[in-house]
């Protein structure tokens, strides 16, 4: 008997006249806004300027969407290029299908371009964005709920997901809500990164590496619950192998970065043209004039210059005569 379950939406798209409003697209858009908003706050807290995060996101987001779609199409090519399939569907991103591995990889390329144009170190910017990115993933996973896709094995748990659609080979029934598991896991990873960053002052890309490693742990076990078609290597799904490799790379980077650059970056964004009116460039770096003046020693107006030669008279006739002789010689030199 069905006691409780998570219902699926009757449809994943609403029509506002001729304009389709797709739940999957809304989840992606909301996730992007959350990532940029939180990333901007963290970037300013690190010493960056407002607006920089959005400027770099203009490069990172499109690259990330293209990378995510490419990964999905390449790893599930039979959905678009096998017999009876229409290859044009590979471009219909609104129907679902974004691989996080490709999104992060190509999104990093776009972020690198944006950071390079602004003279900003990519690892520092990635640290600021890390929690926002994983929170965006948590929101984006609800797009799978709207599309009734990427669910897990059959179950009778009270939080089972009820699939009602029979399209594309689906079998209506109760299944593990893997979208919900991954969404909750991502929220936990986001708060973990925020806590660790405050506690250990992570820098040089270590906050981002922690996010990647922690996400891979959750993705590994969640992937085992899924029943959608996937390529297998040595009995494991391709995404499981990807999670293992990426996890190892992230941990290695964490260890090596902590040894080579143990401290957080002191400066994450250089001053722009026309900024820093109260600063002067000394030895290639800005110096606060007010601080320099407050730290300098006060000057006594009545004091003699340090390099002035003070001649004292002992009151003797010889001393007076020698001074008069020196004055006469000086006067003669002037006349000549």
């Amino acid at each position: 008997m069905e006691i409780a379950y998570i219902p699926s939406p009757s449809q994943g798209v609403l029509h506002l006249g001729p304009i389709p409003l797709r739940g999957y697209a809304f989840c992606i858009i909301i996730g992007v806004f959350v990532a940029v908003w939180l990333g901007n706050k963290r970037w300013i807290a690190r010493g960056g300027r407002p607006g920089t995060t959005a400027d770099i996101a203009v490069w990172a987001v499109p690259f990330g969407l293209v990378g995510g779609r490419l990964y999905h199409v390449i790893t599930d090519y039979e959905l678009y290029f096998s017999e009876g399939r229409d290859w044009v569907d590979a471009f219909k991103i609104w129907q679902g299908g974004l691989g996080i591995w490709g999104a992060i990889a190509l999104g990093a390329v776009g972020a690198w371009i944006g950071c390079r144009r602004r003279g900003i170190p990519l690892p520092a910017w990635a640290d600021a964005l890390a929690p926002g990115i994983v929170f965006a993933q948590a929101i984006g996973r609800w797009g799978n709920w709207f599309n009734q896709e990427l669910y897990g094995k059959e179950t009778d748990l009270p939080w089972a997901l009820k699939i009602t659609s029979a399209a594309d080979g689906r079998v209506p029934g109760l299944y593990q809500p893997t979208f919900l598991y991954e969404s909750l896991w991502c929220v936990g990873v986001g708060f973990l990164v925020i806590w660790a960053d405050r506690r250990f002052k992570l820098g040089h890309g270590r906050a981002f590496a922690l996010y990647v490693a922690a996400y891979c742990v959750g993705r590994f076990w969640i992937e085992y619950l899924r029943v959608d078609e996937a390529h297998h290597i040595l009995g494991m799904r391709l995404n499981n192998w990807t999670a293992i490799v990426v996890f190892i790379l992230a941990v290695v980077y964490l260890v090596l970065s902590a040894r080579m650059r143990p401290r957080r970056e002191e400066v994450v964004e250089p001053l722009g043209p026309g900024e820093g009116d109260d600063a002067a460039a000394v030895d290639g770096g800005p110096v606060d004039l007010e601080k320099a003046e407050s730290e300098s020693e006060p000057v006594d107006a009545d004091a003699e210059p340090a390099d002035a030669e003070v001649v004292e008279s002992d009151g003797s006739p010889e001393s007076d005569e020698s001074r008069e002789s020196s004055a006469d010689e000086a006067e003669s030199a002037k006349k000549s």
Side-chain angles (χ1 to χ4, degrees):
M1 183 179 65
E2 298 179 2
I3 300 177
Y5 57 84
I6 300 174
S8 291
S10 57
Q11 57 182 353
V13 57
L14 298 176
H15 290 274
L16 185 61
I19 303 175
L21 304 178
R22 301 182 182 277
Y24 186 89
F26 269 111
C27 291
I28 298 298
I29 293 172
I30 294 172
V32 170
F33 273 105
V34 169
V36 173
W37 170 77
L38 181 57
N40 183 62
K41 291 189 63 175
R42 286 173 52 81
W43 182 249
I44 295 174
R46 287 287 303 274
R49 290 184 290 167
T52 297
T53 298
D55 291 343
I56 299 176
V58 170
W59 290 89
V61 172
F63 273 73
L65 291 175
V66 173
R69 188 60 175 178
L70 280 175
Y71 182 89
H72 168 72
V73 173
I74 292 173
T75 55
D76 292 302
Y77 61 88
E78 66 278 357
L79 298 177
Y80 308 100
F81 303 104
S82 59
E83 185 177 356
R85 299 283 184 170
D86 187 358
W87 62 272
V88 177
D89 292 340
F91 297 95
K92 297 179 180 179
I93 191 173
W94 56 86
Q95 294 182 354
L98 288 175
I100 185 60
W101 314 112
I104 294 297
L106 207 55
V109 175
W112 176 80
I113 295 174
C115 287
R116 186 176 178 82
R117 290 169 59 90
R118 298 295 295 264
I120 293 171
L122 175 60
W125 189 81
D127 284 340
L129 264 289
I133 292 175
V134 73
F135 285 142
Q137 288 179 239
I139 297 172
R141 273 306 174 195
W142 285 85
N144 301 135
W145 176 64
F146 279 101
N147 287 351
Q148 297 196 38
E149 61 184 0
L150 305 185
Y151 45 84
K153 302 175 182 178
E154 289 188 285
T155 182
D156 57 356
L157 292 171
W159 57 83
L161 174 66
K162 186 172 185 178
I163 297 298
T164 58
S165 173
D168 296 328
R170 297 183 183 90
V171 178
L174 298 176
Y175 298 91
Q176 291 277 6
T178 51
F179 84 93
L180 178 61
Y181 298 157
E182 186 164 340
S183 180
L184 294 176
W185 182 269
C186 287
V187 171
V189 171
F191 284 114
L192 170 66
V193 174
I194 292 175
W195 170 82
D197 193 28
R198 292 178 178 176
R199 175 67 176 81
F200 302 105
K201 304 296 181 183
L202 301 176
H204 299 284
R206 289 190 288 277
F208 186 83
L210 175 61
Y211 139 65
V212 172
Y215 171 75
C216 288
V217 173
R219 182 60 182 268
F220 184 85
W221 67 267
I222 293 172
E223 196 71 22
Y224 265 113
L225 298 176
R226 286 170 51 170
V227 294
D228 53 298
E229 294 185 4
H231 295 285
H232 288 72
I233 301 176
L234 299 179
M236 281 201 309
R237 294 167 65 99
L238 175 61
N239 282 331
N240 282 118
W241 286 108
T242 305
I244 292 174
V245 173
V246 175
F247 172 81
I248 294 174
L249 293 176
V251 172
V252 170
Y253 181 88
L254 269 171
V255 175
L256 294 180
S257 177
R259 290 181 179 179
M260 298 174 63
R261 297 179 176 181
R263 297 181 180 180
R264 175 186 280 183
E265 304 93 335
E266 295 182 0
V267 178
V268 296
E269 185 169 6
L271 294 176
E275 295 183 346
D277 294 336
D278 295 332
V282 178
D283 294 334
V287 176
D288 191 340
L289 292 181
E290 294 182 357
K291 182 178 179 181
E293 291 175 357
S294 64
E295 293 179 351
S296 62
E297 296 182 359
V299 179
D300 189 354
D302 298 329
E304 292 287 342
D307 57 348
E309 182 179 356
V310 180
V311 180
E312 296 182 3
S313 174
D314 55 1
S316 62
E318 294 80 6
S319 177
D320 294 336
E321 291 176 0
S322 63
R323 287 200 303 276
E324 291 175 1
S325 176
S326 300
D328 291 341
E329 292 175 0
E331 185 68 23
S332 298
K334 290 180 179 180
K335 292 178 179 181
S336 61

